[in-house]
Structure formats: structure tokens, C-alpha cells
Amino acid sequence: MLELKNLQARYGDSLILDAINLRVQSGQGVALLGRNGAGKTTLLKSIVGGGPSVSGEVNFLGQALKGQATYLRARAGLTLVPEDRRIFTHLTVNENLLLARHACAKDQLLEVEQVYEWFPALAELKNRMGNQLSGGQQQILAVARGLMPRPKLMLLDEPTEGVAPLLVKQMAEQINRARREQGSALLLAEQNLWFSRNCTDYVYMIDTGRIVFEGDWSEVDRHPEVINRYLAL
Ligand SMILES: Nc1ncnc2c1ncn2[C@@H]1O[C@H](COP(=O)(O)OP(=O)(O)OP(=O)(O)O)[C@@H](O)[C@H]1O
Ligand SMILES: [Mg+2]
């Protein structure tokens, strides 16, 4: 459903991503692993638009996305949950969720009750203001809001960052359930191996703006040096 062909991304004169070829199939979970500064966020922003300047091909559901406004890409079924979460601090949890209606056609939007069923902790916080949530709670809210428009493909940028291990485990189960029930594909930028392994079945490793390895998790297990070289400190 998503295909990047020979993609390059630049900020000003700096070439950040080069020769990127990547695919996500319908309903599939794909991990994009790499250390700080490897280019994960830049790659996700190249898909949704509004970030770096991009050349090469970005195709989604058979359509070329290049030149399309970000809101149209969202309507086509893409959502990005950004690494800085972008929770509206002066709106309640419930209002933050309902804001997702602006990202899709009205009849596409999920009922908030569905989201509260997937993420029960949010139901208890529904009237809490965004600025009264912990970092982990904000992260769950950002993921939940990303699901509201029923994305065909959800892009998650390091959702486990700063989240306690117990919550990370819960988040993996909740995301998997929501995706299963909705049939959403996932492209997950991460450094957390446990979480990535639990949410995806295919891996791209990125380093200094280039894909240096791809394969399923059993392939990763056959090449432990890949993790040591490109992910471990
Ligand atoms: N707005 C920008 N302008 C110029 N350079 C940028 C910009 N954003 C990122 N970069 C550079 O692009 C490179 C890739 O950054 P990117 O944020 O994509 O990495 P990342 O893999 O997401 O890292 P992290 O794990 O720390 O979030 C880095 O060298 C970074 O300094
Ligand atoms: Mg990043």
C-alpha cells in the first residue's frame, strides 16, 4: 500500500535521506529502526508532507503523493503520531480525541467509546486537561487520537520514548488489538527492540539516512551484528 522508491529528502542544502526504497503492505506492521539522528523522523515526515523537500517516488494506494497537501494525505488514510505528541494542553482528553475529526471525512471517524474500550486508562481521564497528563498518558492519548480517523496506515514515531516498561507492554497489546480490529497497517519508527518485535513482522534498519538492512525478524535473528552495529550504543 505504501511504496517509497529511490527517495531523497533534504533540509536546505543538507541531504538527509538517500536512495530509500521501502514498502508497507496492506495491514502489515513494519519497523524502521535506527539510532538518534539516523533519519527515522525525516522519513516519516517525507511520507506525510510538510517537512523536508523530497525527490523520488512516494506512492500510497496506487497514487503518487508528491505535491499533495498534508490534509489530503490524511484523508487518503495516513496518520502520523509525531515524536513530540502535539497534545492540545488546554483541551480535555475527550476534546483532543474529537479533534481528529478534522483529519477525515465525518463518517470515517470512530466513536470515542471505541477508543476508550481499547485504552481504558483514557476513559478515566476523559475530562482531564492535556497539560494535566503525565508523559506516558500523553503518549497513549496521541496514539489513540491517531486511530480515531481509522487510518489505513498509521505512522508512529517512537511511541515508547519516556514510557515506563509496564505501560510499554500494555501499549503494544492495545495497539495490536486496535490494528487487528481496524485492519490498519503500521510503520513504526523505534529504538525499542522488544516493542518493535511485538508490533511488527518486517524490519528496515536505517543509518545516516540510508537503509542498511531489511528482512523479517527471523532474518534479524540470523544477523545479530546488524543490531550491534546500527542500534546498540
Ligand atoms: N528541520 C531540520 N533541519 C535541518 N536538519 C534536520 C532537521 N531535522 C532533522 N535534521 C537532521 O536530519 C538528521 C536526521 O534526523 P531525524 O530527526 O530524522 O533522526 P531520527 O532518526 O528521528 O532521530 P531521533 O531518534 O533522535 O528522533 C539529523 O542529522 C538531524 O540533525
Ligand atoms: Mg526522531
Side-chain angles (χ1 to χ4, degrees):
M1 75 184 334
L2 176 76
E3 187 174 38
L4 310 181
K5 274 195 203 163
N6 197 20
L7 180 132
Q8 293 188 326
R10 289 183 170 76
Y11 282 116
D13 292 335
S14 315
L15 181 66
I16 308 291
L17 302 179
D18 196 16
I20 302 284
N21 293 297
L22 179 149
R23 283 162 166 254
V24 181
Q25 282 162 21
S26 190
Q28 192 187 18
V30 171
L32 176 67
L33 304 179
R35 15 175 111 87
N36 296 125
K40 303 181 295 298
T41 298
T42 306
L43 195 150
L44 298 187
K45 285 185 176 166
S46 301
I47 298 168
V48 294
S53 59
V54 171
S55 63
E57 284 183 43
V58 183
N59 299 319
F60 181 59
L61 298 171
Q63 281 204 343
L65 290 185
K66 235 169 51 183
Q68 258 195 43
T70 295
Y71 79 95
L72 292 175
R73 302 185 196 206
R75 292 222 174 125
L78 277 172
T79 59
L80 167 66
V81 178
E83 61 188 339
D84 60 3
R85 296 161 187 163
R86 306 276 175 99
I87 298 305
F88 291 91
T89 51
H90 297 291
L91 297 178
T92 64
V93 165
N94 204 60
E95 288 165 343
N96 267 280
L97 289 174
L98 289 174
L99 264 184
R101 72 161 62 101
H102 297 292
C104 65
K106 273 208 179 68
D107 58 351
Q108 273 288 105
L109 197 73
L110 276 182
E111 298 293 329
V112 276
E113 277 65 34
Q114 175 63 72
V115 164
Y116 291 139
E117 196 192 316
W118 288 331
F119 303 94
L122 287 181
E124 289 164 32
L125 298 169
K126 72 199 268 188
N127 296 316
R128 187 82 73 82
M129 301 300 278
N131 58 8
Q132 295 167 349
L133 300 175
S134 72
Q137 291 167 338
Q138 285 188 29
Q139 190 61 67
I140 302 279
L141 175 55
V143 171
R145 189 177 59 188
L147 285 162
M148 284 289 291
R150 301 179 203 259
K152 297 193 177 87
L153 172 60
M154 181 155 71
L155 312 177
L156 288 180
D157 198 349
E158 299 205 50
T160 66
E161 210 188 355
V163 177
L166 192 66
L167 273 185
V168 167
K169 188 161 177 279
Q170 224 176 60
M171 197 195 281
E173 286 162 10
Q174 291 166 335
I175 289 173
N176 287 340
R177 178 177 167 213
R179 276 188 52 219
R180 203 168 46 240
E181 291 180 14
Q182 251 190 156
S184 305
L186 171 67
L187 179 56
L188 172 70
E190 259 302 342
Q191 301 188 56
N192 182 322
L193 273 176
W194 183 90
F195 185 80
S196 304
R197 203 182 264 275
N198 274 273
C199 294
T200 65
D201 46 44
Y202 200 82
V203 175
Y204 289 87
M205 184 72 75
I206 186 170
D207 191 58
T208 54
R210 284 176 171 266
I211 301 294
V212 290
F213 171 88
E214 68 168 281
D216 56 23
W217 282 100
S218 60
E219 196 73 15
V220 174
D221 290 337
R222 280 197 289 278
H223 297 278
E225 74 279 2
V226 170
I227 300 291
N228 291 333
R229 180 158 174 202
Y230 297 114
L231 207 57
L233 287 175

